[in-house]
Amino acid sequence: MRIDGFDYQRVPVAEEVALNVAVGGSGSPVVLLHGFPQTHLMWRHVAADLAADHTVLVPDLRGYGDSDKPADTGGETYAKRTMAADVVALARAFGHERFALAGHDRGALVAIRAGLDHPERISHLAILDVLPTLDMWDVLRGTSGAVGFHLYLMAQPPGLPEQLIEGSADAFFGHFLDAWGTSPEAIPADVREAYLAASRAAIPSIVADYRASAFIDVEHDTQDREAGNRLRMPVTVLQQDWGAALGYDAAALWHGWASDLHHRTVSCGHFMAEESPAEIVGALRELMTR
């Protein structure tokens, strides 16, 4: 499946890694990064709207969709630092040295890392429904933390998580599509099947992405926190009310990472770019005026 009106290219971004990217519109550049268990298609409504006055780049992350899925060697292959470098290289391939960046879920973790590692490249940053990795692990505790069971499963050494997921892939990935949304009609049957097919074909790389967030990504976040490194650009964070559910102050945690911050709790479900695209477009357009 494709985003209507967008062109598609495969763009080399690292040694032996090319990303599948949908490109549309004209004007100042915006890059949109998808989440789990999805592909670039999750941005189909938002991207089409933004393309009216922006150049919009919508890639599949490395390890997902139709992008390359290199074998994980040494733990850095799917570090968010590595994946953020992919995004910077992708924008540069289209002639954009500076761009706005929005990420959802896993893509949001890549976007955060891009903002910390490449502040001169990211003009504006939008984060949809995550906490920074370091804070995410801190708030998962007690029985309420069971909502993040998949984080612990995919953090295990290579072999077992992949085998378990492969044994019932559609049930595993479909669980999140069902449990995390509040508007089932937002993900029609053909899009759902596209997500499931893409996820079935990417189990080792998806697990490697999550495993990195239990190890090397935590190391990188810890280094930034100890060094006082913060996001320097205007930041907008849209989240469900996970703080109420898990017992933390989401806005306060985010203020520790960004000084120019707009934080808002939304009423839609996790898949907000599909459930409430007009709200997301409005937030992104407002962000890019700051």
Side-chain angles (χ1 to χ4, degrees), residues 59-121:
D60 288 327
L61 296 167
R62 77 156 60 195
Y64 289 81
D66 290 326
S67 290
D68 286 342
K69 303 169 181 64
D72 188 21
T73 55
E76 295 187 3
T77 306
Y78 290 93
K80 302 309 155 291
R81 174 159 289 163
T82 303
M83 297 171 79
D86 288 348
V87 174
V88 171
L90 174 70
R92 184 179 293 120
F94 286 93
H96 306 305
E97 294 294 331
R98 188 168 167 82
F99 55 95
L101 181 59
H104 173 254
D105 189 83
R106 307 304 294 171
L109 299 180
V110 177
I112 294 165
R113 179 46 54 193
L116 291 168
D117 286 358
H118 307 277
E120 73 285 358
R121 305 293 187 198

Side-chain angles (χ1 to χ4, degrees), residues 7-285:
D7 296 324
Y8 279 73
Q9 300 182 35
R10 283 184 59 82
V11 179
V13 294
E15 185 175 356
E16 299 184 354
V17 177
L19 300 187
N20 174 57
V21 57
V23 185
S26 62
S28 60
V30 182
V31 179
L32 307 175
L33 305 179
H34 67 84
F36 162 91
Q38 298 168 291
T39 68
H40 75 283
L41 284 174
M42 62 151 284
W43 291 108
R44 60 196 179 278
H45 306 306
V46 172
D49 194 319
L50 291 177
D53 47 11
H54 293 279
T55 298
V56 186
L57 306 179
V58 199
D60 288 327
L61 296 167
R62 77 156 60 195
Y64 289 81
D66 290 326
S67 290
D68 286 342
K69 303 169 181 64
D72 188 21
T73 55
E76 295 187 3
T77 306
Y78 290 93
K80 302 309 155 291
R81 174 159 289 163
T82 303
M83 297 171 79
D86 288 348
V87 174
V88 171
L90 174 70
R92 184 179 293 120
F94 286 93
H96 306 305
E97 294 294 331
R98 188 168 167 82
F99 55 95
L101 181 59
H104 173 254
D105 189 83
R106 307 304 294 171
L109 299 180
V110 177
I112 294 165
R113 179 46 54 193
L116 291 168
D117 286 358
H118 307 277
E120 73 285 358
R121 305 293 187 198
I122 313 303
S123 63
H124 302 82
L125 184 63
I127 302 299
L128 276 57
D129 217 28
V130 298
L131 289 174
T133 301
L134 193 58
D135 295 310
M136 174 189 71
W137 288 112
D138 285 345
V139 303
L140 291 173
R141 60 174 67 91
T143 56
S144 62
V147 68
F149 79 94
H150 60 301
L151 301 172
Y152 296 92
L153 171 62
M154 291 190 274
Q156 303 311 307
L160 180 62
E162 294 87 344
Q163 182 178 355
L164 292 175
I165 295 168
E166 286 169 1
S168 193
D170 282 6
F172 180 75
F173 295 116
H175 163 78
F176 302 103
L177 294 173
D178 295 336
W180 288 352
T182 58
S183 303
E185 67 278 4
I187 303 179
D190 57 343
V191 175
R192 178 190 174 89
E193 178 50 38
Y195 291 157
L196 292 177
S199 297
R200 284 195 302 269
I203 291 170
S205 51
I206 290 174
V207 174
D209 168 32
Y210 272 86
R211 186 178 289 118
S213 286
F215 297 100
I216 194 167
D217 294 342
V218 171
E219 293 177 18
H220 293 158
D221 276 12
T222 300
Q223 290 165 3
D224 279 315
R225 175 165 286 174
E226 291 176 350
N229 191 18
R230 305 177 81 213
L231 297 164
R232 305 177 196 172
M233 66 292 298
V235 177
T236 289
V237 176
L238 304 177
Q239 291 187 286
Q240 298 179 87
D241 198 4
W242 288 110
L246 297 175
Y248 66 88
D249 185 336
L253 291 178
W254 270 107
H255 276 291
W257 290 99
S259 53
D260 186 355
L261 173 70
H262 287 188
H263 184 281
R264 190 164 85 232
T265 301
V266 298
S267 58
C268 57
H270 178 67
F271 302 113
M272 54 187 68
E274 293 167 291
E275 296 184 43
S276 188
E279 180 178 10
I280 302 309
V281 169
L284 294 180
R285 291 190 180 280

